[in-house]
Amino acid sequence: MYRFLFALFLIPGVLPAQQDSLLQLIRKANWQSSKIAPKVSWERHHFAKGELFQANQNINILRIKKRHRQLDLSFGSGGKTLLPTSTLGKQAKAFAALNGTFFDIKNGGSVDFIRIDGITLDTTRPASKFLAEHQRSAIVIHNNQVQIVKGDSLAGWEKRLNEDNIMVTGPLLIHHDQPIALSSRLFNTTRHPRTALGLTQKGEILWITVDGRAKESAGMSLFELTRLMSALGCVEAINLDGGGSTTLWVDGVTKTGVANMPCDDKVFDEYGERKVSNVLLLRRKKKLRGLRS
């Protein structure tokens, strides 16, 4: 019992010097950057072994800058039908999509609460009286602004949220510029491909993918992901479904539009997309969708 508690609080702790070193590494990296649309850039970098957490790491960032009035931020769902992130993006006439929250891979549908345009599509499926870590926080979109909300460990907290667009997911990584203490369960401590959303002090929205399960990119534990999000300037950060689901799609940037290297085909390429239940979407507002950036 005491050993578990020690692990619980020790693992999230990071010495200031270590975080400063990581911050310098992130800033000095030769990030490739492409403008995708007004106020939107796609950034990517491959860190060689020994540079970032002593492992190969392949990271993609979609950076949405403040005052993104020309853009539409929303959620999308395939309902009970599972579809690749790219397909859900194309169907919604979006130019970018990011895989969303956790879902039932056998029967379809999200296992976490989702409300889109005021309609509740899926409700949280608690495994017990207390919710899993990924069911205790949410992404909320209101008036085209994104917020990250800290919830509760008891079922039903999300139903008290009034906004029309809500996606429960997690675990919450950073809240009010403070890292969240995570449990030492294997999901958190083991390296996997990861998907995350962050909000920076500058008012930017970051969509992040970290590839994994390949020699070219190891993936990250949630403790490492938290450190990465902090080094990228996030004052709020939240984890989304990862593993084989991790996919960032940006129309036209590759043959398929898939910007990262999803791992379901067990090859480090753009073709390994997993079918998912829901996504985050980025669209041009209707009167602007016909214009090229």
Side-chain angles (χ1 to χ4, degrees):
M1 175 65 177
Y2 292 111
R3 185 167 58 186
F4 170 78
L5 288 174
F6 179 76
L8 179 68
F9 292 107
L10 178 63
I11 292 174
V14 178
L15 295 174
Q18 290 178 314
Q19 193 62 17
D20 286 347
S21 175
L22 180 62
L23 179 61
Q24 291 303 314
L25 175 65
I26 296 297
R27 285 180 175 174
K28 291 180 179 179
N30 186 25
W31 292 85
Q32 292 179 270
S33 182
S34 305
K35 184 178 178 182
I36 301 302
K39 300 290 185 180
V40 183
S41 62
W42 168 43
E43 302 167 13
R44 59 273 189 204
H45 187 70
H46 182 270
F47 292 89
K49 188 174 182 179
E51 290 184 315
L52 184 58
F53 305 132
Q54 301 302 308
N56 291 324
Q57 299 288 357
N58 196 58
I59 300 171
N60 281 267
I61 305 171
L62 194 75
R63 188 182 300 270
I64 306 164
K65 296 183 180 178
K66 195 175 180 180
R67 300 186 182 90
H68 48 269
R69 290 183 293 271
Q70 297 177 355
L71 305 175
D72 241 345
L73 291 152
S74 60
F75 301 128
S77 172
K80 297 298 180 185
T81 303
L82 301 180
L83 295 166
T85 296
S86 59
T87 300
L88 288 167
K90 291 171 188 174
Q91 288 182 349
K93 295 182 170 58
F95 68 88
L98 182 73
N99 72 284
T101 193
F102 300 81
F103 61 94
D104 187 331
I105 200 166
K106 183 178 180 181
N107 302 306
S110 172
V111 296
D112 297 332
F113 183 93
I114 294 185
R115 182 186 295 158
I116 300 178
D117 295 333
I119 300 172
T120 299
L121 302 179
D122 293 291
T123 57
T124 296
R125 305 180 197 175
S128 65
K129 177 183 176 182
F130 295 102
L131 297 173
E133 284 178 298
H134 67 83
Q135 298 173 326
R136 301 179 187 181
S137 49
I139 301 167
V140 172
I141 301 175
H142 181 65
N143 290 335
N144 210 31
Q145 299 298 314
V146 175
Q147 295 176 285
I148 293 175
V149 176
K150 185 177 182 180
D152 200 342
S153 61
L154 297 176
W157 69 268
E158 71 283 359
K159 295 175 184 177
R160 298 191 292 271
L161 297 175
N162 296 320
E163 289 81 4
D164 287 341
N165 294 280
I166 301 165
M167 177 183 285
V168 168
T169 189
L172 187 62
L173 304 176
I174 302 171
H175 190 51
H176 297 329
D177 204 18
Q178 296 298 315
I180 300 298
L182 300 171
S183 69
S184 57
R185 66 191 183 111
L186 286 177
F187 178 83
N188 297 344
T189 61
T190 307
R191 285 177 169 167
H192 295 289
R194 302 289 185 178
T195 302
L197 181 143
L199 306 178
T200 73
Q201 187 72 53
K202 296 179 180 179
E204 299 168 319
I205 303 163
L206 305 185
W207 290 4
I208 309 285
T209 60
V210 179
D211 293 318
R213 298 178 184 167
K215 69 178 187 295
E216 296 88 348
S217 188
M220 293 185 187
S221 72
L222 287 189
F223 301 104
E224 291 167 336
L225 183 63
T226 299
R227 290 183 61 194
L228 172 68
M229 300 301 280
S230 179
L232 289 168
C234 295
V235 294
E236 303 283 340
I238 194 168
N239 181 65
L240 290 123
D241 188 16
S245 300
T246 289
T247 305
L248 173 63
W249 173 79
V250 184
D251 190 25
V253 300
T254 63
K255 287 183 180 179
T256 63
V258 175
N260 70 308
M261 306 296 183
C263 68
D264 253 21
D265 62 350
K266 303 187 188 315
V267 179
F268 195 68
D269 61 21
E270 64 191 86
Y271 300 102
E273 275 191 275
R274 175 179 291 178
K275 294 179 180 179
V276 298
S277 175
N278 51 77
V279 292
L280 285 73
L281 298 167
L282 189 58
R283 295 179 280 200
R284 293 176 178 85
K285 288 194 173 175
K286 288 184 180 179
K287 65 179 180 180
L288 297 168
R289 283 183 197 165
L291 302 178
R292 296 182 64 87
S293 57

